[in-house]
């Protein structure tokens, strides 16, 4: 069988693809795939691995030999799952592989916001400390997390991991009702569920960990931001389209919330016209979708992809996300 990796460059440097490449007899590996090349690259593939390349109904219809897609991520919104099921194509994803990396990134973003760390680092580099009449600089507010409330929207494995880290800092953790996250996950006894309006009103920090669906797109909008405390911070390491970027900019400019930190944007990579990047704002931190990028997490992803392919080849699917389909292969 023939396998194709459409965007291997998205996996970053330093990883071993061996566990994947030993699963099939032939592989074509591309650093990235543009739309103009996509049909040719999937035309003869039995198995396709993609991170963020879109596989629409039209593309899947063109891929006559395709039997299995393994998504090199947890989110599968780049795959037309209904079309895949109709064509007998199984789709699997990755689950929980980057929990340690993403959860520590979330806490890093929170800590940078509440300590005003970027401002202090810049001030030191530009000689402000040297000009101080006393031994320290306290130009920008520093806030303790202890005693504050973290609101989690999407209390799956990742949301729970973030909650544990927050509790280690002395925070109270609340979570939005289960319909905004994996309903099968039990609620830990030290986390309280509440409806979204209550969470928005109570939380000092809100962290998004829910999937992007028709129901959650622009979940954080002008009304949501207006309901938050003026002293609150918003963290998004999930999907960019969960947040209405124009509403966020207006809320930051008007002081309706204290700050935000994003690892994701609605369009990635962003265009030169991306409004969130036009003007540097000390209370808006943006990282380049690398919360998941620890080497250990990326290697776990490779192992899961190998497991997905192995499950497909042995008619014992794992992490399958679409409706049960026949797995006709030799």
């Amino acid at each position: 069988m023939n396998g194709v990796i459409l965007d291997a460059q998205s996996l970053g440097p330093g990883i071993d693809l061996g566990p994947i490449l030993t699963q099939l007899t032939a592989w074509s590996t591309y650093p990235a795939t543009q739309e103009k090349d996509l049909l040719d690259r999937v035309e003869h593939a039995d198995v396709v691995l993609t991170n963020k390349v879109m596989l629409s109904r039209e593309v899947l219809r063109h891929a006559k030999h395709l039997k299995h897609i393994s998504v090199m991520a947890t989110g599968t919104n780049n795959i037309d799952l209904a079309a895949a099921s109709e064509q007998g194509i199984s789709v699997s994803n990755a689950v929980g592989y980057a929990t340690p990396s993403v959860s520590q990134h979330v806490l890093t973003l929170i800590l940078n916001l509440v300590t005003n760390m970027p401002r202090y680092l810049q001030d030191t580099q530009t000689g402000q400390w040297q000009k101080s009449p006393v031994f320290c600089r306290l130009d920008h507010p520093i806030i303790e997390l202890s005693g504050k409330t973290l609101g989690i929207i999407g209390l799956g494995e990742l949301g729970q991991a973030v909650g544990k880290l927050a509790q280690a800092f002395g925070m109270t953790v609340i979570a939005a009702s289960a319909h905004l996250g994996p309903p099968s996950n039990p609620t830990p006894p030290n986390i309280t569920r509440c409806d979204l309006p209550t969470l928005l009103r109570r939380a000092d920090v809100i962290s998004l960990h829910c999937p992007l669906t028709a129901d959650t797109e622009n979940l954080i909008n002008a009304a949501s931001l207006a309901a938050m405390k003026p002293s609150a911070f918003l963290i998004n390491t999930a999907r960019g389209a969960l947040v209405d970027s124009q509403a966020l900019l207006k809320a930051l400019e008007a002081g309706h919330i204290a700050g935000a930190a994003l690892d994701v944007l609605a369009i990635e990579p962003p265009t030169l016209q991306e409004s969130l990047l036009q003007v540097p704002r000390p209370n808006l931190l943006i990282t380049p979708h690398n919360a998941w990028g620890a080497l250990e997490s990326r290697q776990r992803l490779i192992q899961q992809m190998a497991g997905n392919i192995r499950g497909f080849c042995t008619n014992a699917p794992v992490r399958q996300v679409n409706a049960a389909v026949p797995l006709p292969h030799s």
Side-chain angles (χ1 to χ4, degrees), residues 42-61:
V42 301
E43 183 175 9
H44 299 292
D46 300 287
V47 174
V48 166
L49 269 64
T50 174
N51 193 325
K52 296 294 182 287
V53 176
M54 300 291 293
L55 298 181
S56 64
R57 179 177 292 271
E58 178 187 355
V59 172
L60 296 179
R61 188 183 298 119

Side-chain angles (χ1 to χ4, degrees), residues 220-223 225 243-253 256:
I220 303 300
N221 50 36
L225 292 160
V243 178
D244 181 333
S245 59
Q246 295 307 307
L248 176 60
L249 282 176
K250 290 178 181 178
L252 291 170
E253 290 169 357
H256 292 158

Side-chain angles (χ1 to χ4, degrees), residues 12-69:
I15 60 168
D16 176 16
L17 289 175
I20 291 175
L21 300 181
T22 56
Q23 298 300 317
L24 303 178
T25 53
W27 282 95
S28 298
T29 302
Y30 301 99
T33 296
Q34 304 302 317
E35 186 175 359
K36 63 181 178 64
D37 301 315
L38 181 55
L39 295 183
D40 287 342
R41 292 180 179 181
V42 301
E43 183 175 9
H44 299 292
D46 300 287
V47 174
V48 166
L49 269 64
T50 174
N51 193 325
K52 296 294 182 287
V53 176
M54 300 291 293
L55 298 181
S56 64
R57 179 177 292 271
E58 178 187 355
V59 172
L60 296 179
R61 188 183 298 119
H62 185 81
K64 302 295 186 183
H65 300 275
L66 185 57
K67 305 176 185 70
H68 178 69
I69 299 167

Side-chain angles (χ1 to χ4, degrees), residues 3 25 65 95 155 188 208 224 235 255 307:
T25 53
H65 300 275
V95 178
L155 192 64
L208 305 181
S224 306
I235 312 294

